[in-house]
């Protein structure tokens, strides 16, 4: 009996699993708030140069650009009514006395620290600092989770996110704000990794897909909460504090989440693991099954995992064999392009000319049908087709934005929303597809590398948006081209629909790239074709 079947038999599916799903899922509502918070805390209101102190009120006008609109970052050196030779070519200068903002409805870090004109790059760098934190956190906290357990990392990640997020609300300078946002991203990774692992290790095999999808929908609902909070709380400091304080409560609630039984047994804490397992069995109405368990039985059913854990595998093994090397290369491109393009659209909500709060609701709402369609497509068309199609469609939508005039806001919004939905489907497919492509002995390492590349993509996206200063179409060309590249790379991945999970690297290498089936299965099919017809009364193959 495998350890998973032992857990299913003793613990089963009952109230405990639904409580665990709620305890792990409710904090995920707040993860969307932090990931997309800068859409509202870094909004750029209308602004213009502040006139000189000695300027007459109402008489100072702004120079106009080639498009006929007033310049945002320039002002006249002399008053417009000054008698000057060659008055039609009045000299201009930068905004030496700062800017005037329309802050009648909201404030942001942009108005707080003048992140406009030459300093507008700092706005994107602030978001990149957060994404850099998620990158570093994924590398550091994933290893610490294997060393010290999933529960401590989850609990202290909640605490760090609450403290750093609340501290960011009181930041006196932009540099302090960026450091604290980096720590927010760092702790975000700890919450995400521990939540995913605990969910998988505490629910039955049959429930994994359901609970994983349910937790994913917690994130989607969180995208609806954020615009509502931002509408009610227009001051960026109070909004930052509001989305951070609840994690102090999540820190306290996390102590009700039990540690992973699998991790405790592998770490030599079998007596404590047995005690927790028996308590959970009693909670689910299987007290007798729990009392029959013995420590030796837990260890015996984890012998395979223990032997695999003793084997030494590294990142280099992902590139050691031909097929695994191709899988790693193609998956890395797909993960990078998905994170890269997803945050390019998610963070550009304010550029489509509609009400920012309503548009964020639409951007969040598209994830609901997108994830549902992704599940249907993966189940019937396969992972290979779903992954490639989602990225190709997303890339096409982003590139189409280059050719749609800026005044056609409705069409541009439809393309952006559809593209974001495709990228949401891509994320849903990638999580499952990656776990099915990598063998057990190196699956965690493969997932870690994949997480690394998607974090690099999300960290790079805000920086690429800066290229729009040279020409508005450049960012969309880059984002769309990279998404198309990721979709093309997915065509070189084998199909895994209805296939058992590979245990070793050798099993992956036996995969036939032409038919997407293991070579042993091809031989079995050929042998089956040579079997003569059975006489009447024989039991035929029901398939």
């Amino acid at each position: 009996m495998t350890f998973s079947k032992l857990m299913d038999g003793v613990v089963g599916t009952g109230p405990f699993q639904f409580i665990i799903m709620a305890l792990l899922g409710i904090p995920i509502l707040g993860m969307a708030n932090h990931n997309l918070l800068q859409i509202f805390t870094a909004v750029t209101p209308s602004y213009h140069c502040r006139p000189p102190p000695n300027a007459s009120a109402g008489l100072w006008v702004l120079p106009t650009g080639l498009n006929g609109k007033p310049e945002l970052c320039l002002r006249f050196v002399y008053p417009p009514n000054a008698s000057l030779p060659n008055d039609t070519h009045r000299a201009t200068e930068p905004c030496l006395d700062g800017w005037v903002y329309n802050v009648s409805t909201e404030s942001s870090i942009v108005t707080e620290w003048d992140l406009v004109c030459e300093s507008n790059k700092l706005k994107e760098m602030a978001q990149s600092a957060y994404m850099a934190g998620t990158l570093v956190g994924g590398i550091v906290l994933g290893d610490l989770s294997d060393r010290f357990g999933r529960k401590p990392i989850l609990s202290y990640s909640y605490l760090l996110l609450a403290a750093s997020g609340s501290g960011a609300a009181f930041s006196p300078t932009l540099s302090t704000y960026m450091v604290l946002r980096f720590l927010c991203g760092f702790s975000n990774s700890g919450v995400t990794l521990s939540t995913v692992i605990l969910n998988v290790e505490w629910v039955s095999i049959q429930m994994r897909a359901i609970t994983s999808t349910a937790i994913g929908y917690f994130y989607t609902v969180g995208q609806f909460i954020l615009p509502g909070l931002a509408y009610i709380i227009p001051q960026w400091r109070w909004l930052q504090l509001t989305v951070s304080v609840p994690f102090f409560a999540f820190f306290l609630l996390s102590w009700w989440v039990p540690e992973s039984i699998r991790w405790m047994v592998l770490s030599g804490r079998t007596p404590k693991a047995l005690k927790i397992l028996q308590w959970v069995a009693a909670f689910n109405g299987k007290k007798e099954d729990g009392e029959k368990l013995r420590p030796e039985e837990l260890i015996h059913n984890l012998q395979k995992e223990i032997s695999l854990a003793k084997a030494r595998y590294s990142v280099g093994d992902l590139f050691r064999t031909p097929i695994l090397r191709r899988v790693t290369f193609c998956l890395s491109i797909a993960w990078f392009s998905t994170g890269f393009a997803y945050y390019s659209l998610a963070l550009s909500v304010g550029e489509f000319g509609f009400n920012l709060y309503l548009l964020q609701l639409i951007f969040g709402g598209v994830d609901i049908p997108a994830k549902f369609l992704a599940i249907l497509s993966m189940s019937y068309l396969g992972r290979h087709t779903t992954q490639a199609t989602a990225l190709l469609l997303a890339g096409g939508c982003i590139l189409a934005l280059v050719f749609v005039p800026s005044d056609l806001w409705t069409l541009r919004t439809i393309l952006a929303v559809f593209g974001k939905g495709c990228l949401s489907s891509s994320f849903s497919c990638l999580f499952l597809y990656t776990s099915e492509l990598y063998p057990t002995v190196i699956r965690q390492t493969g997932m870690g590398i994949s997480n690394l590349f998607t974090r690099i993509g999300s960290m790079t996206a805000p920086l690429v948006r800066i290229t729009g200063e040279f020409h508005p179409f450049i960012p969309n060309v880059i984002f769309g081209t990279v998404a198309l590249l990721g979709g093309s790379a997915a065509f070189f991945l084998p199909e895994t629909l209805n296939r058992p999970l590979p245990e070793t690297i050798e099993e992956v290498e036996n995969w036939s790239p032409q038919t997407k089936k293991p070579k042993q299965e091809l031989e079995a099919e050929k042998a089956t074709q040579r079997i003569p017809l059975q006489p009447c009364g024989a039991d035929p193959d029901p398939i």
Side-chain angles (χ1 to χ4, degrees), residues 117-145:
C117 297
E118 294 84 358
S119 300
N120 64 347
K121 303 178 182 65
L122 297 176
K123 170 186 170 180
E124 305 299 344
M125 289 182 64
Q127 180 65 21
S128 288
Y130 175 82
M131 293 302 179
T134 64
L135 170 63
V136 177
I139 298 172
V140 175
L141 296 179
D143 180 63
L144 294 179
S145 177

Side-chain angles (χ1 to χ4, degrees), residues 343-498:
Y343 283 98
S344 75
L345 291 176
L347 297 174
S348 62
V349 176
E351 300 177 0
F352 292 97
F354 285 95
N355 182 279
L356 181 61
Y357 307 99
L358 177 61
L359 198 54
Q360 179 56 33
L361 287 175
I362 297 174
F363 265 59
V366 73
D367 285 4
I368 297 177
K371 291 177 179 178
F372 179 73
L373 291 175
I375 294 174
L376 293 180
S377 179
M378 286 188 290
S379 301
Y380 293 99
L381 300 179
R383 285 72 156 137
H384 172 264
T385 302
T386 302
Q387 185 58 58
T389 302
L391 280 174
L392 290 176
L393 287 176
C397 288
I398 297 175
L399 286 178
L401 291 173
V402 176
F403 304 100
V404 178
S406 58
D407 55 341
L408 297 179
W409 298 112
T410 302
L411 180 57
R412 291 179 63 84
T413 302
I414 291 173
L415 288 172
V417 170
F418 184 77
K420 182 178 179 290
C422 292
L423 291 167
S424 179
S425 298
S426 177
F427 264 129
S428 299
C429 182
L430 275 174
F431 276 107
L432 178 62
Y433 202 10
T434 303
S435 63
E436 293 177 337
L437 283 170
Y438 282 119
T440 301
V441 295
I442 204 168
R443 183 171 295 127
Q444 189 67 20
T445 303
M447 289 294 291
I449 290 296
S450 299
N451 179 74
L452 174 67
F453 274 94
T454 194
R455 296 304 182 189
I456 293 175
S458 61
M459 182 180 67
T460 308
L463 300 179
V464 172
R465 284 161 53 85
I466 298 175
T467 61
E469 294 182 6
F470 303 101
H471 201 287
F473 74 83
I474 294 180
N476 284 335
V477 169
I478 297 175
F479 291 131
T481 302
V482 171
L484 292 179
L485 180 62
S488 301
F491 280 119
F492 296 92
L493 292 170
E495 181 57 76
T496 59
L497 179 63
N498 297 326

Side-chain angles (χ1 to χ4, degrees), residues 25 28-30 32-33 214-227 361 364-365 367-368 371:
I28 297 298
L29 292 171
N33 293 342
I215 289 178
Y217 275 116
F218 273 103
Y219 183 89
T220 299
V221 173
Q223 296 184 75
F224 297 143
I225 296 175
L226 179 60
L361 287 175
D367 285 4
I368 297 177
K371 291 177 179 178

Side-chain angles (χ1 to χ4, degrees), residues 16-319:
F16 175 79
Q17 278 70 30
F18 291 100
I19 293 175
I20 284 293
M21 185 181 69
L23 288 175
L24 295 175
I26 291 175
I28 297 298
L29 292 171
M31 304 309 295
N33 293 342
H34 279 276
N35 284 342
L36 304 175
L37 183 62
Q38 198 164 307
I39 293 175
F40 299 99
T41 60
V43 66
T44 303
S46 58
Y47 64 94
H48 58 81
C49 285
R50 186 183 301 276
N54 58 353
S56 300
L59 296 179
W60 198 280
V61 296
L62 296 172
T64 55
L66 297 177
N67 56 3
K69 296 181 179 180
E71 291 282 1
L72 301 178
C73 302
L74 294 175
R75 71 181 187 186
F76 288 122
V77 176
Y78 303 102
N81 58 351
S83 298
L84 296 171
N86 195 13
D87 188 51
T88 57
H89 295 86
R90 290 192 297 270
T92 59
E93 63 183 0
C95 303
L96 301 179
D97 296 291
W99 293 264
V100 176
Y101 300 98
N102 177 15
V103 291
S104 58
T105 57
E106 57 195 10
S107 68
S108 68
I109 63 172
V110 173
T111 60
E112 181 93 10
W113 293 303
D114 289 333
L115 306 184
V116 293
C117 297
E118 294 84 358
S119 300
N120 64 347
K121 303 178 182 65
L122 297 176
K123 170 186 170 180
E124 305 299 344
M125 289 182 64
Q127 180 65 21
S128 288
Y130 175 82
M131 293 302 179
T134 64
L135 170 63
V136 177
I139 298 172
V140 175
L141 296 179
D143 180 63
L144 294 179
S145 177
D146 290 334
R147 290 188 182 186
F148 302 107
R150 288 76 165 99
K151 179 179 174 178
I153 298 303
L154 178 67
S155 297
Y156 289 112
S157 293
Y158 285 149
L159 182 60
L160 179 59
L161 182 55
S164 57
S166 300
F170 300 95
S171 300
T173 63
L174 178 62
S175 57
T176 304
Y177 172 82
M178 292 174 67
V179 170
L180 291 171
R181 284 286 287 167
F182 175 90
L183 293 176
C184 287
F186 182 89
S187 51
N188 183 316
S189 286
V191 173
T192 303
L193 290 173
S194 298
T195 297
V196 170
I197 295 173
L198 283 170
N199 172 67
V200 169
E201 295 182 345
W202 263 118
V203 300
S204 64
I205 296 175
Q206 293 78 10
M207 286 286 292
R208 284 177 185 173
I210 297 174
T211 56
S212 296
T213 303
I215 289 178
Y217 275 116
F218 273 103
Y219 183 89
T220 299
V221 173
Q223 296 184 75
F224 297 143
I225 296 175
L226 179 60
L229 290 175
Y231 183 79
I232 298 171
I233 309 170
Q235 302 297 322
W236 79 267
R237 291 184 182 273
W238 285 107
L239 179 60
Q240 175 78 43
L241 187 64
T242 301
V243 301
S244 302
V245 168
F247 283 90
F248 285 112
F250 298 149
F251 166 70
L252 298 176
L253 289 175
S254 66
W255 294 103
W256 292 92
V257 178
E259 181 58 89
S260 163
I261 297 296
R262 185 186 301 268
W263 179 85
M264 284 194 289
V265 175
L266 291 176
S267 301
R269 305 180 185 183
T270 306
K272 185 176 181 181
L274 179 61
K275 185 177 180 180
I276 295 176
L277 196 57
Q278 290 174 338
W279 179 85
V280 173
F283 191 86
N284 277 351
K286 293 191 173 186
K287 184 176 180 180
E288 294 182 359
D289 293 332
E291 291 177 346
K292 295 178 182 178
L293 274 179
R294 294 294 179 267
E296 298 79 13
E297 190 174 359
L298 286 179
I299 297 175
H300 175 74
N301 285 284
L302 268 175
Q303 283 301 318
K304 184 174 182 180
E305 283 85 349
I306 293 173
S307 62
L308 290 176
K310 291 180 179 178
R312 298 293 181 181
Y313 291 94
S314 65
V315 175
D317 290 294
L318 295 174
F319 304 92

